[in-house]
C-alpha cells in the first residue's frame, strides 16, 4: 500500500463509516446510494450526458460508492465505450473497510468486487467493466494543480466545508474550474455560501437545486462553452 495515512473510522449504526479526524460520515445517513444519484449524477446531468470517453473527476474517493453508482448508471444506458474516472484522495480507506461500507448498498455491492480486489492489491489505476479508474493519492491541494487533464463533470465530495475547509477553498475551486472541459459541470451536496461564491468566481454559472432527503439545497454549475465532441 502507498504511504498515505489510512483514516481512523467509527461505524455509525454498525454500517456508516465516520472519519474520526473530521467527525463526519462518508455518505448520507439517509441513504448514500440515492444521495449519489440525486446529487452527483442528476446534478451533473448524468446519465444523459454519458458517452464513450466522458471523464468524471471527484474530490474525495472515500468508499468508492460514487464510482460504483456511476458504473451502474453507465451500464444501464447500454451505450458502447468506456468512461474515465479520476479521483483525488488523501486518506485512502483500507479495502476491508470499503467492503464493509459498500455491503450496506446491495446495488453497489453486486459490482464492488473488482474495486475491492484492486484496492486490496494497492492498485491506483485499474479498469472496472467500462470505466478506467485512476486514484491520485495525496492532498488534493497538491495533486490537482499538477494534474494534466480535464474533466467533463466533477463530483465535489469532501467532508462538510465546516469540518474539512481545505477541500473547499477558493484556490482549490479555481483549480477545479481550470481542470474542467468547456461546457463541463460540477455538483455538490453543500449549499455553503462561500463555496458557491468560490465556484462562481472560478468561472462556473452556479445554481442552487433542491437537496437530498430534507436538505433544502445543493449546488451545481456549468462552465461556459460548448461541450467537446467525445
Ligand atoms: C465525504 S468523503 C467522500 C465519499 C466518497 N465520495 C464515497 O463515494 O464514499 C470525503 C473524502 O475526502 C477525503 N479528503 C479529505 N480531505 C482531503 C484532501 N485535502 N485531499 C484529498 N482528499 C481529502 C477524505 O479522506 C474522504 O475520503
Amino acid at each position: 500500500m502507498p504511504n498515505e495515512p489510512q483514516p481512523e473510522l467509527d461505524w455509525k449504526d454498525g454500517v456508516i463509516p465516520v472519519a474520526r479526524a473530521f467527525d463526519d460520515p462518508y455518505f448520507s445517513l439517509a441513504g448514500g446510494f440515492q444521495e449519489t444519484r440525486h446529487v452527483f449524477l442528476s446534478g451533473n446531468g448524468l446519465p444523459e450526458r454519458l458517452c464513450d470517453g466522458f471523464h468524471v473527476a471527484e474530490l474525495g474517493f472515500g468508499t468508492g460508492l460514487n464510482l460504483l453508482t456511476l458504473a451502474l448508471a453507465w451500464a444501464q444506458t447500454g451505450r458502447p465505450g468506456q468512461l474515465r474516472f479520476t479521483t483525488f484522495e488523501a486518506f485512502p480507506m483500507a479495502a476491508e473497510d470499503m467492503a464493509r461500507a459498500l455491503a450496506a448498498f446491495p446495488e453497489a455491492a453486486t459490482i464492488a468486487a473488482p474495486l475491492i480486489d484492486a484496492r486490496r492489491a494497492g492498485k491506483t489505476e485499474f479498469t472496472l467493466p467500462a470505466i478506467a479508474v485512476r486514484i491520485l493519492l495525496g492532498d488534493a491541494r497538491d495533486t490537482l494543480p499538477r494534474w494534466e487533464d480535464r474533466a467533463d463533470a466533477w463530483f465535489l465530495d469532501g467532508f462538510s466545508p465546516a469540518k474539512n475547509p481545505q477541500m473547499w477553498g477558493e484556490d482549490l475551486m479555481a483549480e477545479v474550474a481550470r481542470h474542467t472541459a468547456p461546457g463541463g459541470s460540477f455538483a455538490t451536496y453543500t449549499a455553503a455560501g462561500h463555496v458557491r461564491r468560490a465556484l462562481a468566481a472560478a468561472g462556473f454559472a452556479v445554481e442552487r437545486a433542491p437537496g437530498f432527503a430534507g436538505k433544502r439545497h445543493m449546488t451545481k454549475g456549468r462552465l461556459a462553452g460548448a461541450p467537446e465532441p467525445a
Side-chain angles (χ1 to χ4, degrees):
M1 286 291 278
N3 296 327
E4 267 66 27
Q6 282 180 4
E8 287 187 37
L9 302 175
D10 294 311
W11 292 85
K12 182 153 175 65
D13 302 331
V15 288
I16 297 170
V18 177
R20 205 171 284 167
F22 295 96
D23 185 27
D24 217 25
Y26 279 74
F27 39 70
S28 168
L29 306 180
F33 188 68
Q34 286 85 348
E35 179 186 37
T36 295
R37 281 206 299 225
H38 177 91
V39 174
F40 296 109
L41 297 191
S42 300
N44 277 298
L46 309 181
E48 293 78 3
R49 293 169 61 212
L50 294 177
C51 58
D52 183 31
F54 193 91
H55 193 170
V56 174
E58 174 183 62
L59 290 187
F61 182 56
T63 65
L65 180 65
N66 288 347
L67 166 62
L68 295 180
T69 307
L70 175 70
L72 281 173
W74 174 232
Q76 279 163 7
T77 68
R79 289 173 209 145
Q82 194 175 65
L83 302 184
R84 298 170 67 203
F85 185 87
T86 303
T87 183
F88 296 80
E89 176 57 62
F91 311 104
M93 254 194 191
E96 302 320 320
D97 288 329
M98 291 174 65
R100 177 172 170 183
L102 293 169
F105 301 101
E107 307 92 327
T110 56
I111 58 162
L115 169 62
I116 307 291
D117 288 349
R119 292 303 297 140
R120 193 177 286 125
K123 290 185 188 166
T124 52
E125 290 192 34
F126 50 92
T127 302
L128 300 180
I131 303 196
V133 180
R134 189 165 178 220
I135 305 173
L136 292 176
L137 296 174
D139 190 317
R141 292 170 298 179
D142 300 325
T143 53
L144 178 54
R146 295 202 301 264
W147 188 43
E148 291 179 350
D149 216 332
R150 292 190 303 188
D152 299 295
W154 277 94
F155 298 173
L156 303 184
D157 199 15
F159 291 119
S160 77
K163 295 179 169 170
N164 189 194
Q166 53 276 30
M167 280 289 254
W168 304 97
E170 276 181 25
D171 290 353
L172 191 60
M173 297 302 99
E175 289 294 339
V176 168
R178 195 168 77 76
H179 290 89
T180 304
S185 62
F186 78 84
T188 176
Y189 64 86
T190 184
H194 68 91
V195 173
R196 287 209 313 271
R197 287 190 292 277
L199 287 158
F204 286 102
V206 173
E207 282 179 62
R208 277 200 304 209
F212 175 74
K215 279 193 78 175
R216 244 190 334 157
H217 293 122
M218 54 170 271
T219 309
K220 61 184 187 173
R222 276 274 180 144
L223 209 57
E228 288 166 349

